[in-house]
Amino acid sequence: MAAPASVETYSRLHAVLRARDFAVTCELATADSANPAAVYRHARVLAGKVDAVNCTDNSAAHPHLSSQAAAHFLTDCGVEPIVQLGCRDRNRIGLQADLLGAAALGARNVVLMTGDDASAGDHPETRSVWDLDSLHAIRIARILRDEGTYLSGRRLESAPLYLIGAVENPFAPPFGVRPRRLRSKVEAGAEFVQTQICFNPPRLREFMARAGDLGVLDDLPVLVGVYIPRSARSVRYLGEQVPGIDVPETIITRFESRPRDEQAEEGFRLALELVYAVREIPGVAGVHLMSIGGTAAIVRLIEELGLLPRPAPDEPDQRPARSRQDADRLS
Amino acid sequence: MSALVAAVERAVKRPIWGCRMCGQCVLHATGLTCAMTCPKNMRNGPCGGVLQNGHCEVEPHRRCTWVQAWQRSARLPLWREQIAQLRPPVDWRLEGTSSWENLLTGRDRHVPAGWAATQRPMS
């Protein structure tokens, strides 16, 4: 990408990553509601506990409250959002509209991804879009921000300002290609990466080593996905039903050897161990925590890990320079 | 004439590579694997849903298009490095037209102005 290295700090998360503090992000529980309270409920618990929170985009191909709207409600509670946008439900016109909309609603981080296939969801009969792939989406986010134009070349009145993220899955074949794919995402314009859920630290170590050899990690913070399972059933489900998640058999047996009422605690211990294991791997800049509906478990894990208080990066004004000028001009 | 060329191209490439006639062929860059056989139309590599056995998450009975592309590309004497180059978004207007003709006329190299702006030399 031709644009110079950014001098601007786009977000709180950006400041944390730049300071090389161990970053903590997590996933917002999905909301099947038209009431903002569905987001506020979780946002209030997460405020001050994480650096930023991912608003998923119809995850697992199930419709939910939109990621842009959820992001906006997070900012109401002082929680910094990361807006996820995938390529299944929008073409290049929709993507650009949503990127502008997200930025205008206060999102300072976006993550672009391909997205799960509709066959994984509850509307398998739908027609998916697949106009773009994830690399296209990343590059288009960059064009809007750095060129100040749409993909077509038409000028924007005011460019969106956000940190651009990607996802990568070190745990899916072809394993040898994954580090090169990470490099392609950086070349397309990604500035940080969140990985798929890790149950296999040795595999991650190998991936990070190869990515390091390619020189990808010099400027790219990698946040590793860690899931807090609540039962043997949920672990088995992830391994068997969610494409791209690698759950080693040893983990499943470890859960199944426990009585049901101890499995949640076992899941918590496993997540702790995984965070300890991945943070030792060179290049890992932070963790991205996930738990189905369990915001409390996420906060408890962060407390137990001694990751509180979260760093308070020095930010004189939450609004980046360009939009500040615009706002002053308009007022 | 264009229709005839397209018909010939389809007749040749469909049986061999499962060609979908996107009209902007990148077979040489993908180890002679048609990228458009990917159910998600991935033009630049595998998605994150590839199953542990290297098969496609959408069509689990067959191998992932991009697992195959990377393997085959490594065996090609030519164009091996092209697989990692960023291919632009598909121009869907070319679907069904002959990529041979589009290659000769340069039509397949048109990209939107915003995309072209990112391809200038590094500053």
Side-chain angles (χ1 to χ4, degrees), chain A residues 35 87 91 120 122 132 198 220 238 247 277 295 302 304:
Chain A
N35 187 338
C87 300
N91 64 12
D122 60 351
L132 303 168
C198 173
L220 181 78
L238 279 184
V247 187
T295 306
I302 294 164
E304 197 105 346

Side-chain angles (χ1 to χ4, degrees), chain A residues 43 55 66 68 99 108 146 169 184 190 193 209 233 274 282 292 312 319-320:
Chain A
C55 303
S66 76
Q68 302 100 295
L99 282 165
R108 296 285 170 261
D146 294 346
N169 187 355
S184 299
V193 158
R233 222 188 52 185
L274 284 166
I292 305 287
R319 294 171 301 161

Side-chain angles (χ1 to χ4, degrees), chain B residues 15-81:
Chain B
I16 306 179
W17 294 295
C19 168
R20 303 297 162 93
M21 294 296 287
C22 68
Q24 47 225 289
C25 188
V26 293
L27 271 178
H28 66 287
T30 57
L32 304 179
T33 308
C34 176
M36 305 316 281
T37 59
C38 166
K40 295 184 182 177
N41 297 333
M42 304 288 287
R43 290 288 274 191
N44 287 293
C47 76
V50 182
L51 305 178
Q52 290 301 308
N53 63 2
H55 281 215
C56 170
E57 67 159 304
V58 187
E59 298 167 359
H61 58 279
R62 69 170 187 93
R63 272 210 308 167
C64 161
T65 299
W66 283 96
V67 166
Q68 191 164 325
W70 273 89
Q71 274 177 7
R72 287 182 175 175
S73 160
R75 290 201 295 262
L76 277 192
L78 288 172
W79 309 309
R80 219 176 288 159
E81 283 311 307

Side-chain angles (χ1 to χ4, degrees), chain A residues 1-2 92 114-115 117 130-131 133 136 139 143 147 151-153 169 171-174 177-178 180-181 243-244 246, chain B residues 39-44 46-52 57 70 81 87-90 92 112-115 118 120 122-123:
Chain A
M1 186 77 201
R92 62 196 78 182
T114 307
D117 189 72
W130 309 130
D131 174 33
D133 66 25
H136 299 145
R139 175 58 62 91
I143 292 169
E147 306 293 333
L151 173 62
S152 66
N169 187 355
F171 313 104
V177 172
R178 295 291 167 184
R180 299 190 57 168
R181 186 153 171 77
D246 165 30
Chain B
K40 295 184 182 177
N41 297 333
M42 304 288 287
R43 290 288 274 191
N44 287 293
C47 76
V50 182
L51 305 178
Q52 290 301 308
E57 67 159 304
W70 273 89
E81 283 311 307
R87 281 165 289 278
V90 171
W92 296 100
W115 189 272
T118 69
R120 31 167 213 252
M122 296 289 280
S123 47

